[in-house]
């Protein structure tokens, strides 16, 4: 199931080339911001999933070409990136896990424009990444239990100077 925000952060499910509006569920998830709404939906997903599936069966979708897809997590609490896979075009030797934090203010949606800062950088680089969405609080999780904490995945374009 592909959860999305569309237009003015209405909640939806992407199915094929259609967005199915499930915003009627928002009365069951009293949240003040789109990020909080998605976070609460993730926390309550097992309870809400039957209602989502019912709405999907009963509703007509909107062609994706007629909506504006927004970021599914507009202001995540943390964006932690692993630097270990970044090889500087083969010139950097592999190393142990290195991580860095990205600002949640940098999140934009599909088709939105990346605004480059006015800084003295000579190269701006981008990489397509797979983002893992953690669905519950996790600390010191054993590798064998890690999948129990993953809610889902989304695409992520990492842009850096």
């Amino acid at each position: 199931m592909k959860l999305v925000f569309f237009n003015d952060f209405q909640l939806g499910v992407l199915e094929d080339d259609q967005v199915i509006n499930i915003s009627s569920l928002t009365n069951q998830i009293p949240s003040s911001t789109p990020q909080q709404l998605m976070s609460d939906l993730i926390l309550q997903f097992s309870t809400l999933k039957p209602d989502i599936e019912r709405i999907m069966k009963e509703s007509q979708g909107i062609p994706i070409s007629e909506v504006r897809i927004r970021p599914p997590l507009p202001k995540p609490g943390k964006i932690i990136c692993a630097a270990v896979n970044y090889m500087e075009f083969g010139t950097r030797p592999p190393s142990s896990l290195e991580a860095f934090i990205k600002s949640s203010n940098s999140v934009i949606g599909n088709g939105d424009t990346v605004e480059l800062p006015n800084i003295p950088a000579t190269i701006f680089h981008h990489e397509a990444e797979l983002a893992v969405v953690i669905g519950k609080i996790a600390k010191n999780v054993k590798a064998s239990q890690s999948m129990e904490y993953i809610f889902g995945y989304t695409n992520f374009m990492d842009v850096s100077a």
Side-chain angles (χ1 to χ4, degrees), residues 82-101:
V84 69
N85 69 339
Y86 186 62
M87 297 299 292
E88 296 285 347
F89 305 105
T91 62
R92 182 175 178 217
S95 63
S96 60
L97 179 63
E98 295 175 20
F100 58 94
I101 295 176

Side-chain angles (χ1 to χ4, degrees), residues 42-61:
I42 289 169
L43 289 173
Q44 300 175 42
F45 188 75
S46 59
T47 304
L48 295 170
K49 187 176 179 185
D51 289 336
I52 295 171
E53 291 171 338
R54 177 186 49 76
I55 293 169
M56 289 175 66
K57 287 178 186 171
E58 296 173 356
S59 303
Q60 276 196 295

Side-chain angles (χ1 to χ4, degrees), residues 38-141:
M38 188 61 78
S39 296
D40 289 346
L41 174 61
I42 289 169
L43 289 173
Q44 300 175 42
F45 188 75
S46 59
T47 304
L48 295 170
K49 187 176 179 185
D51 289 336
I52 295 171
E53 291 171 338
R54 177 186 49 76
I55 293 169
M56 289 175 66
K57 287 178 186 171
E58 296 173 356
S59 303
Q60 276 196 295
I62 306 164
I64 195 168
S65 61
E66 295 179 17
V67 300
R68 178 179 177 196
I69 298 296
R70 302 301 210 123
L73 297 162
K75 286 237 184 247
K78 292 181 188 168
I79 302 174
I80 302 172
C81 301
V84 69
N85 69 339
Y86 186 62
M87 297 299 292
E88 296 285 347
F89 305 105
T91 62
R92 182 175 178 217
S95 63
S96 60
L97 179 63
E98 295 175 20
F100 58 94
I101 295 176
K102 285 277 194 180
S103 170
S104 64
N105 289 333
S106 64
V107 175
I108 60 174
N110 183 56
D112 289 346
T113 300
V114 173
E115 294 183 25
L116 301 177
N118 185 15
I119 60 173
T122 57
I123 296 174
F124 285 94
H125 180 74
H126 65 281
E127 288 184 309
E129 304 283 357
L130 176 66
V132 178
V133 178
I134 306 300
K136 55 186 175 180
I137 295 172
K139 183 177 181 180
N140 300 323
V141 176

